[in-house]
Amino acid sequence: MKKTAIALSLSVAMLASPMLASAEPLTFGEQQTIRSMASAGVGQAIVNQMGAESMVVINNPSAICGALAGGLGAAMLSADLQAGFRIATMRSGNDGAAAAQVTADKDVAYLALGGELDRDENVALAHAYLKELAASEWDGTLVLHISSWMQKQVQAVAEADEAVADYLQGLNMVALQPDLDAGQAVMLRVNFDGEGFTTEEMGRQDMREDLVELFRRM
């Protein structure tokens, strides 16, 4: 399997979902819309800028996460009809091995654990998955959706599991993060040295105004 370079277009970061208080919260339909709309740039960038030929999205059973995963797949396949795309939905830690098996021949694994589950549930799912990835020595690129990054899911797993911590030191990782004050999307290269996580800003891109406004209401 080829090892994909971390060269995502900044449009990938448009999938970020800031957790901000608002007097006018999003409706459930808008929650799904924001994921579907933003994921369009992500799926295309993973093919066109990252050069990936395959991707698996790791999500939970949340309907919000489902909208995100579907949008990613539709965008990726519109960019390359022959791309390898799968969704691996984890309902419990018992699904970790199956999710890792789907990941085995993929260039990119997109960790999208958020939605309607609380942090502890998402961390448990992330732990089960990363434990299996470490055992298989998968060497692609792990992309962390904003919820996975902001909830420090991977950080928590690394602190709890020495084998996963060792594995993450050699893994390509990218995190997505918005800067709403600037109306921009930010992409971060993530590094782990065994002691702590550090990030390096790889660049920025302006976001469309209606997407920013939806984000502001979250």
Side-chain angles (χ1 to χ4, degrees):
M1 177 185 119
K2 74 176 185 180
K3 188 165 186 176
T4 305
I6 302 179
L8 281 169
S9 161
L10 293 183
S11 61
V12 168
M14 291 197 303
L15 200 54
S17 308
M19 303 172 186
L20 301 177
S22 172
E24 187 182 357
L26 298 175
T27 66
F28 189 76
E30 287 173 326
Q31 291 275 7
Q32 293 179 303
T33 297
I34 194 172
R35 270 74 174 186
S36 298
M37 181 170 63
S39 60
V42 178
Q44 292 180 14
I46 286 174
V47 172
N48 296 328
Q49 277 73 46
M50 194 172 184
E53 298 177 355
S54 57
M55 177 174 67
V56 58
V57 178
I58 308 300
N59 67 352
N60 60 41
S62 163
I64 294 174
C65 287
L68 167 64
L72 285 166
M76 183 178 196
L77 293 172
S78 70
D80 178 4
L81 290 176
Q82 302 305 315
F85 178 78
R86 290 287 300 277
I87 297 171
T89 300
M90 295 185 63
R91 298 179 181 278
S92 74
N94 294 330
D95 295 323
Q101 185 175 5
V102 175
T103 306
D105 62 347
K106 303 298 186 295
D107 299 329
V108 172
Y110 193 103
L111 193 64
L113 299 174
E116 298 157 277
L117 273 64
D118 64 31
R119 178 180 184 270
D120 289 344
E121 292 175 295
N122 285 322
V123 168
L125 294 177
H127 192 173
Y129 176 62
L130 291 173
K131 182 177 180 179
E132 295 292 340
L133 281 193
S136 68
E137 299 182 342
W138 178 76
D139 65 347
T141 296
L142 181 67
V143 178
L144 307 175
H145 181 58
I146 185 64
S147 55
S148 292
W149 178 243
M150 296 300 289
Q151 286 186 359
K152 298 186 177 180
Q153 296 169 10
V154 175
Q155 294 91 319
V157 175
E159 185 175 346
D161 191 319
E162 184 176 353
V164 172
D166 289 343
Y167 169 67
L168 292 176
Q169 292 182 56
L171 189 66
N172 288 334
M173 292 184 284
V174 170
L176 312 177
Q177 182 171 298
D179 181 347
L180 292 188
D181 289 338
Q184 295 178 322
V186 183
M187 183 175 66
L188 303 172
R189 186 192 306 274
V190 178
N191 296 296
F192 179 59
D193 63 4
E195 297 294 330
F197 287 79
T198 58
T199 60
E200 175 186 354
E201 185 173 314
M202 301 178 70
R204 291 170 174 259
Q205 178 173 303
D206 292 337
M207 294 191 293
R208 48 187 292 168
E209 292 182 6
D210 56 349
L211 187 56
V212 172
E213 288 308 309
L214 285 172
F215 282 152
R216 289 187 185 281
R217 291 172 50 205
M218 293 186 74

